[in-house]
Amino acid sequence: MSKNLLEEYRKEISEIDKEIIALLDERFDLCWEVGGYKKENGMAILDEKVEEKKLASIDFLASEDNAEFIKETFKTIMSQSRKLQEEM
């Protein structure tokens, strides 16, 4: 692999990372809203059925090679979302 090719890969990854960060920022902003709604309506923060459904959908949305990695990533994202909502 040439150094130029490696630099191109890294540049692409950096651009994707920027998009991921922006989307996660937007997602966590919405989690604040969801947490407020749940508290106002006396709802539990954790909805296991919703999380199970989200994780199951990854099998259809992600490539087979990456699905398990993405599931683990989403478990972390959902855990952080719950933590954020509990802080409300």
Side-chain angles (χ1 to χ4, degrees):
M1 177 182 298
S2 73
K3 189 172 182 176
N4 288 341
L5 183 57
L6 179 59
E7 289 302 317
E8 277 301 308
Y9 287 153
R10 288 179 174 163
K11 185 177 177 182
E12 284 184 56
I13 288 171
S14 291
E15 291 302 313
I16 292 168
D17 288 347
K18 289 177 188 176
E19 293 176 42
I20 291 170
I21 291 166
L23 290 170
L24 284 172
D25 197 33
E26 186 177 344
R27 187 186 201 285
F28 287 126
D29 285 346
L30 285 170
C31 287
W32 280 106
E33 299 296 325
V34 169
Y37 179 87
K38 287 178 177 179
K39 285 205 177 206
E40 287 176 12
N41 292 282
M43 300 170 73
I45 298 298
L46 174 61
D47 187 335
E48 289 181 23
K49 289 182 182 180
V50 169
E51 289 194 11
E52 288 171 10
K53 190 175 180 180
K54 174 69 70 184
L55 292 172
S57 73
I58 291 170
D59 289 327
F60 298 102
L61 297 171
S63 67
E64 187 176 334
D65 291 340
N66 296 325
E68 285 306 312
F69 298 115
I70 294 170
K71 280 184 187 179
E72 289 304 312
T73 302
F74 263 87
K75 286 178 186 177
T76 300
I77 291 168
M78 290 185 292
S79 173
Q80 293 301 312
S81 296
R82 285 192 307 275
K83 188 183 293 186
L84 182 146
Q85 291 177 24
E86 289 166 358
E87 292 178 4
M88 296 204 64

